[in-house]
Amino acid sequence: MIAILGAGESGVGAALLAKAKGLSVFVSDMGTIKPAYKEQLQKENIPFEEGTHTFEQILTADEIIKSPGIPDKAEIIKQAKAKNIPVISEIEFGARYSKAKFICITGTNGKTTTTLLTYHLLKTAGFNVELAGNIGESLAEKVIEDTAEYYIVELSSFQLDTMFGFKAHIAMLLNITPDHLDRYDYNIGNYAQSKLRITQNMAPTDFFIYNQEDALIREHLAKVNTQATLVPFALQPSGEVKATYTNSNIVTEVTGKPESIDVSASPLIGKHNQYNTLAAVTAALLAGAEAFRIEEGLATFKNAEHRLQPVGEANGVTFINDSKATNVEAVWYALEGIKQPIIWIAGGTDKGNDYEPLKPLAKEKVKALLCLGKDNTKLLREFEGVVPVIQETQSVDEVVEQAKALAQPGDVVLLSPACASFDLFQNYEHRGRSFAEAVQKWALNQNTMQ
């Protein structure tokens, strides 16, 4: 019997695959199962429970598939391991039933953008590809039919921790910075080793693409015995690097011959997106995409919502929704990447932020800081004397009106909050949508900037 802990996208996908393969399956969720997922389970007559874990039943399983959000310190997981019941991820389970090749992306930041870009480049080049993993789509459910040639899979460290037999054909590690350290005994080395699990089981015919300029990757990769062919990338050329930038071109030798990819038509901005683009382009070349097809794909790519997403332009003023930027590092990338003068909208639930890294960029580029939050005390204190104009509000409509009044042609109005959204909004998506709607209402539908 297969026991599945968590009835979200990955758990229900695993349950559907288990049922399709004739396995006995039981689904258990400590919370409330969303109606759409409950309907899927009921339709397939898959037994489930919600609001509890029945230990007696779960601990009779031959194998447990757990949601990435359930930590190893959870009592049900500790008891399962004490009974030597294997605990795996939905990705590990789904891959057993697939004949496809896997292109996998991990890293602390940039995973989703790089996953979507890799998918887009291969899709527009004519490859039979599908998305899966941490991006919000169940690999297990997709392999019931298993029609793809490649699955492009975004992987979190939590997923990698419960993957053992899985093998990527092309793996990417974008960066390692401190995150989720409460799950890793507050040890960055443990977290780094978790990320590097993406290289496990790889053969010399597989490729590991990684950021050569990331010191933590270099340090911990040296401790990993991987058989994969190493493909380091960097913004600055060096003897080891296989893919780098020369002006607006990516220059590589990854296919055994020198190639140059013109990336000038890409809509992605900022240094961090140069790294993301390097990784995605390198993967596309290794998968067999032609250079001119990659250039065409770069020109037509649209990133996920709420990540440096343009939401309108009026009279030379561009409005950008970067609501996903809920920490200082993400905002630094946004401020660094935008070359025009900025009206910066920030604020929300502060997570103990240290704003010092943002002050040089803010002093150089930010004309005005508009604080959107219930308590803006810290932002007001930190940026007084750094930014010439600081205003505050608790209304997204009002903040857009403030921005409109301050902006001049050539400026960018940037929502990049550096904070969580829960003081005024349900989540960062709600914040981003509200901002886009306010831009439409108060800026784009009016003919002149005041």
Side-chain angles (χ1 to χ4, degrees):
M1 188 266 285
I2 302 289
I4 297 174
L5 303 182
E9 177 70 15
S10 64
V12 171
L16 295 173
L17 175 60
K19 177 68 183 296
K21 299 302 178 182
L23 302 173
S24 173
V25 59
F26 175 66
V27 178
S28 177
D29 195 311
M30 278 295 289
T32 301
I33 302 175
K34 289 183 180 179
Y37 292 135
K38 192 182 296 187
E39 185 178 329
Q40 285 183 287
L41 295 171
Q42 290 169 335
K43 182 179 178 182
E44 295 298 326
N45 296 313
I46 296 172
F48 65 89
E49 64 180 358
E50 57 183 331
T52 189
H53 285 325
T54 304
F55 280 41
E56 295 81 3
Q57 184 167 0
I58 294 166
L59 295 175
T60 63
D62 300 299
E63 193 167 49
I64 292 174
I65 301 168
K66 81 171 181 73
S67 163
I70 300 173
D72 285 347
K73 64 184 178 183
E75 186 61 29
I76 186 66
I77 302 301
K78 290 196 291 187
Q79 291 197 28
K81 290 187 174 182
K83 292 174 67 71
N84 294 317
I85 301 171
V87 179
I88 65 169
S89 74
E90 170 252 342
I91 303 292
E92 174 85 358
F93 181 63
R96 295 174 183 172
Y97 297 94
S98 178
K99 298 183 178 65
K101 292 181 178 179
F102 296 97
I103 299 176
C104 301
I105 300 94
T106 197
T108 307
N109 296 296
K111 293 187 295 296
T112 298
T113 296
T114 306
T115 300
L116 291 172
L117 180 57
T118 304
Y119 170 80
H120 180 76
L121 295 180
L122 290 176
K123 186 76 172 177
T124 56
F127 286 69
N128 179 9
V129 292
E130 292 206 36
L131 283 168
N134 194 55
I135 202 163
E137 301 196 34
S138 168
L139 174 67
E141 186 170 357
K142 290 177 183 291
V143 304
I144 294 172
E145 299 295 333
D146 199 35
T147 57
E149 177 187 7
Y150 285 98
Y151 290 105
I152 316 301
V153 186
E154 179 183 326
L155 293 173
S156 70
S157 57
F158 299 162
Q159 288 168 315
L160 286 162
D161 287 338
T162 43
M163 291 166 61
F164 306 96
F166 180 92
K167 181 177 85 71
H169 173 53
I170 298 173
M172 296 179 237
L173 179 52
L174 303 172
N175 45 61
I176 298 174
T177 59
D179 199 16
H180 303 300
L181 293 188
D182 55 318
R183 290 274 289 256
Y184 296 98
D185 298 324
Y186 297 94
N187 185 317
I188 188 67
N190 293 343
Y191 176 63
Q193 290 301 310
S194 175
K195 288 294 188 187
L196 282 158
R197 286 176 67 88
I198 199 170
T199 66
Q200 65 188 355
N201 306 313
M202 296 178 77
T205 51
D206 303 313
F207 302 95
F208 178 49
I209 301 168
Y210 67 95
N211 184 348
Q212 172 68 16
E213 292 175 343
D214 188 297
L216 282 170
I217 293 179
R218 293 197 309 272
E219 176 187 348
H220 292 281
L221 178 59
K223 304 173 186 177
V224 173
N225 182 24
T226 180
Q227 300 301 308
T229 296
L230 301 181
V231 186
F233 66 85
L235 298 187
Q236 299 298 322
S238 71
E240 297 179 10
V241 170
K242 302 296 184 186
T244 188
Y245 270 87
T246 300
N247 298 321
S248 60
N249 285 58
I250 288 177
V251 179
T252 82
E253 296 182 2
V254 298
T255 61
K257 62 178 181 179
E259 294 192 81
S260 181
I261 310 289
D262 184 353
V263 299
S264 60
S266 171
L268 295 175
I269 61 175
K271 183 177 179 181
H272 65 301
N273 275 321
Q274 289 184 306
Y275 286 117
N276 298 338
T277 304
L278 271 169
V281 166
T282 300
L285 285 168
L286 289 170
E290 296 176 274
F292 80 96
R293 292 289 190 194
I294 294 173
E295 291 175 352
E296 291 173 350
L298 287 168
T300 57
F301 177 65
K302 293 183 179 179
N303 203 357
E305 290 186 313
H306 316 297
R307 290 176 175 85
L308 287 171
Q309 175 196 13
V311 291
E313 183 175 332
N315 297 326
V317 176
T318 302
F319 294 81
I320 294 179
N321 166 24
D322 193 34
S323 183
K324 182 69 165 61
T326 59
N327 57 49
V328 167
E329 184 175 29
V331 175
W332 188 94
Y333 286 140
L335 295 179
E336 183 274 335
I338 294 171
K339 304 309 178 188
Q340 304 96 312
I342 298 168
I343 311 294
W344 175 29
I345 303 170
T349 304
D350 186 276
K351 299 187 290 186
N353 289 345
D354 176 6
Y355 291 107
E356 284 300 320
L358 298 181
K359 290 181 181 179
L361 284 170
K363 189 169 186 177
E364 175 191 351
K365 297 185 175 186
V366 175
K367 296 173 58 174
L369 168 60
L370 307 181
C371 303
L372 176 64
K374 286 187 177 180
D375 183 0
N376 302 307
T377 306
K378 187 173 179 180
L379 278 169
L380 294 170
R381 181 180 71 245
E382 292 289 330
F383 288 95
E384 183 180 4
V386 177
V387 175
V389 176
I390 302 179
Q391 299 177 7
E392 59 177 326
T393 179
Q394 294 184 13
S395 163
V396 70
D397 286 343
E398 186 174 341
V399 85
V400 170
E401 289 192 275
Q402 290 176 342
K404 175 185 171 183
L406 291 164
Q408 297 176 333
D411 290 351
V412 168
V413 175
L414 170 70
L415 171 67
S416 194
C419 299
S421 55
F422 304 121
D423 59 338
L424 296 176
F425 304 95
Q426 297 167 9
N427 47 43
Y428 75 82
E429 294 98 336
H430 179 218
R431 176 170 59 192
R433 288 194 301 270
S434 298
F435 174 69
E437 290 166 4
V439 168
Q440 182 66 37
K441 180 179 179 182
W442 297 105
L444 303 190
N445 282 348
Q446 300 185 27
N447 294 325
T448 59
M449 303 295 294
Q450 300 298 322

